[in-house]
Amino acid sequence: MTAMSNMPFLQIENLSKAYPGVQALDSVSFGVQTGHVHALVGENGAGKSTLIGILAGAVHPDSGRLWLRGEPYAPRTPKEALEASVSTIYQVFSLLPDRTVMHNILLGKEPTRSGGVLDLQRMREEASRILGLLGAEHIAPEALVGELRVGEKQIIEIAKALLNESQLLIMDEPTAALNQAEMEALFRNIRLLREQGVTILYVSHRLDEIFELADAVTVLRDGQHISTRSIEEVTRDSLIEDMIGRKLSSVFPERVDRRGEEILRVEGLSVGKMLRDINFSLHRGEVLAVAGLSGSGKTELGKALFGDLPLDRGTILLKGKPLRHRPGAAIRSGLIYLPEDRKTDGLFPDHSVRRNISLSVLPRIASWGIISPAREREVAQEQVENLDIRVTDLEQPAITLSGGNQQKVILARCLAVDPDVFILMEPTQGIDVGVKFEIYQFITEQAAQGKAILLISSELAEILGLAHRVLVMHAGRIVADLETRQTDQEEILRYALGEVTAASDQT
């Protein structure tokens, strides 16, 4: 071992963990420096979750050693990890929704008065003090946690870690469910914690966040340590190459412009204050993106087009004919919708991969109301092969798949319809970079075959890399219609922020 003064805050040495049939970690070694934001990246199955579990005391390694502040660290339970000042914030928060903010922050450390009665005034003051450190004075200590927004709940988790005087904070995909404003607040808090000397292990699929926040980055692949470098030593391409194990000729597939006849026309579409006088057209072979900040109306636009949101007025023409405003009618007419939240709105987790894929075409594979098992398996198997979905069996429950493969199952359900128009809502959100590129390839190939794609995305790099045009929304309106080859992220953001208030005529 090196001298104490030169030792990283966290040192991982030859850490290994195997499950039946899977080597989750294979002799992983790297160090995390004190007061750094250290990013941990890799595809699904790389070993990140297992490593987090070991550091948090929830998983026990088969071999290897951990050192914390130069001392051996071997937590057998999450409680022991907390006692060693190691806190983990998972994607699913460990909060009590029916209790107040101050009760959640001070859980297990509540101050009491004589007789063991809770000292509510001290609890209120302590909770306010911790929230003040995070710039979250707007959150009332007496508020019920279940009534808070997602970003505010995350602040409560961070406040708990601060109260615990955590010196190592592990954050697992912390922005997965946050809007832009909540993300910016989170980033401010992370920088504040770093200034206070807290060491942060930051796990994320979103590479833009890594380059914005991290001091160093470690890549895992197939359970093995691939690289640990300072952020100045890596590029986006080199990081991706480490993650997927192959050379990238380009981040995005080659985009071919074969735009053909108009297939979808939207005229005067309005839904309350969410959508106001929306007009645009979409052509065969076109990838048309929709950009905008949270609350701009872009999410509601996708739902309204599919018939999942009632219209106040407006017309939707598909192949020149009015589209009946119901999801079933949309599917039968050749328009399919990929929902934004696959876990809540897209996937039937306990059902088989076979049934999840075939749901969109059940009438086609049934006779007299009875589903043909053979035809259902044939449809599912064809799409599994088309999208290279990694399954052990078509009967495998969808919940057992990785996030990327779950997303591909929902895409397969869309593709089984053989639609003319795809509405894809955040199609690469929360999936690893390897599957992300497969979905990019899927979008490009579908457009090349004459399908029309409406891509609703929060990732501007994705929009500029895939789309032919981008509609920018602000306050429920389309404020710009731009050719992507003639624009950039800065111009799109100016429109999205409302800095440019007038657009040229909508198409």
Side-chain angles (χ1 to χ4, degrees), residues 177-417:
L178 302 187
N179 61 35
Q180 188 66 33
E182 291 168 337
M183 285 173 56
E184 291 170 359
L186 172 66
F187 293 171
R188 286 195 298 271
N189 282 320
I190 288 173
R191 295 185 180 104
L192 176 64
L193 293 170
R194 176 170 54 188
E195 291 171 5
Q196 296 172 356
V198 177
T199 304
I200 298 172
L201 188 64
Y202 188 92
V203 182
S204 178
H205 285 122
R206 299 181 175 182
L207 299 190
D208 289 344
E209 296 175 10
I210 303 304
F211 285 98
E212 182 169 349
L213 291 172
D215 300 293
V217 56
T218 288
V219 178
L220 299 182
R221 185 173 74 238
D222 296 331
Q224 297 182 330
H225 174 259
I226 301 301
S227 63
T228 294
R229 290 179 283 180
S230 71
I231 201 67
E232 292 82 8
E233 295 175 342
V234 299
T235 65
R236 186 183 181 91
D237 280 5
S238 70
L239 197 56
I240 292 170
E241 288 166 16
D242 279 352
M243 292 167 68
I244 66 177
R246 62 179 184 270
K247 187 77 174 175
L248 288 175
S249 57
S250 173
V251 172
F252 296 98
E254 181 180 358
R255 178 174 46 192
V256 178
D257 193 345
R258 296 175 180 167
R259 283 177 277 187
E261 64 183 4
E262 178 183 281
I263 189 168
L264 181 72
R265 174 168 285 273
V266 177
E267 298 177 340
L269 196 69
S270 296
V271 178
K273 295 182 179 179
M274 295 181 286
L275 296 173
R276 306 180 183 187
D277 195 29
I278 300 296
N279 300 276
F280 69 90
S281 62
L282 175 63
H283 297 253
R284 290 190 179 275
E286 181 176 37
V287 179
L288 174 62
V290 182
L293 304 180
S294 177
S296 65
K298 69 180 192 295
T299 300
E300 290 77 13
L301 176 59
K303 292 182 177 180
L305 292 175
F306 188 59
D308 207 21
L309 196 64
L311 306 182
D312 290 339
R313 58 184 178 276
T315 302
I316 303 170
L317 298 174
L318 182 61
K319 293 179 283 189
K321 298 179 180 178
L323 181 65
R324 295 178 65 189
H325 196 250
R326 289 201 301 269
I331 293 172
R332 289 191 296 273
S333 298
L335 184 147
I336 197 68
Y337 172 82
L338 180 82
E340 180 177 12
D341 188 338
R342 65 173 177 268
K343 293 182 179 179
T344 302
D345 301 325
L347 202 71
F348 292 84
D350 297 325
H351 286 264
S352 65
V353 169
R354 165 184 54 80
R355 180 52 51 89
N356 267 276
I357 292 174
S358 67
L359 278 170
S360 59
V361 292
L362 289 181
R364 197 177 78 203
I365 58 175
S367 298
W368 303 101
I370 300 175
I371 297 170
S372 166
R375 293 172 69 187
E376 185 180 26
R377 283 193 297 271
E378 181 181 350
V379 167
Q381 185 62 43
E382 180 183 3
Q383 298 310 326
V384 164
E385 293 173 2
N386 283 341
L387 292 173
D388 190 24
I389 304 173
R390 306 297 173 87
V391 298
T392 56
D393 187 89
L394 290 178
E395 302 309 311
Q396 184 176 350
I399 191 63
T400 63
L401 303 181
S402 68
N405 281 298
Q406 290 178 11
Q407 186 76 328
K408 288 202 283 186
V409 164
I410 305 172
L411 268 179
R413 183 192 305 157
C414 295
L415 188 59
V417 175

Side-chain angles (χ1 to χ4, degrees), residues 88-107 139 143-161:
T88 303
I89 300 176
Y90 294 99
Q91 290 186 55
V92 179
F93 301 141
S94 56
L95 298 172
L96 302 176
D98 57 346
R99 303 293 295 277
T100 66
V101 166
M102 61 186 184
H103 278 93
N104 272 271
I105 292 175
L106 292 155
L107 188 65
I139 301 178
L144 286 178
V145 163
E147 297 177 355
L148 300 181
R149 299 191 302 271
V150 175
E152 292 172 331
K153 291 177 182 177
Q154 192 167 65
I155 289 173
I156 305 308
E157 288 279 19
I158 297 173
K160 288 166 55 180

Side-chain angles (χ1 to χ4, degrees), residues 443-465:
I443 291 171
T444 302
E445 289 174 354
Q446 293 302 311
Q449 294 171 19
K451 308 293 187 180
I453 316 290
L454 189 69
L455 172 65
I456 301 175
S457 174
S458 298
E459 296 193 28
L460 294 184
E462 185 170 276
I463 286 171
L464 291 171

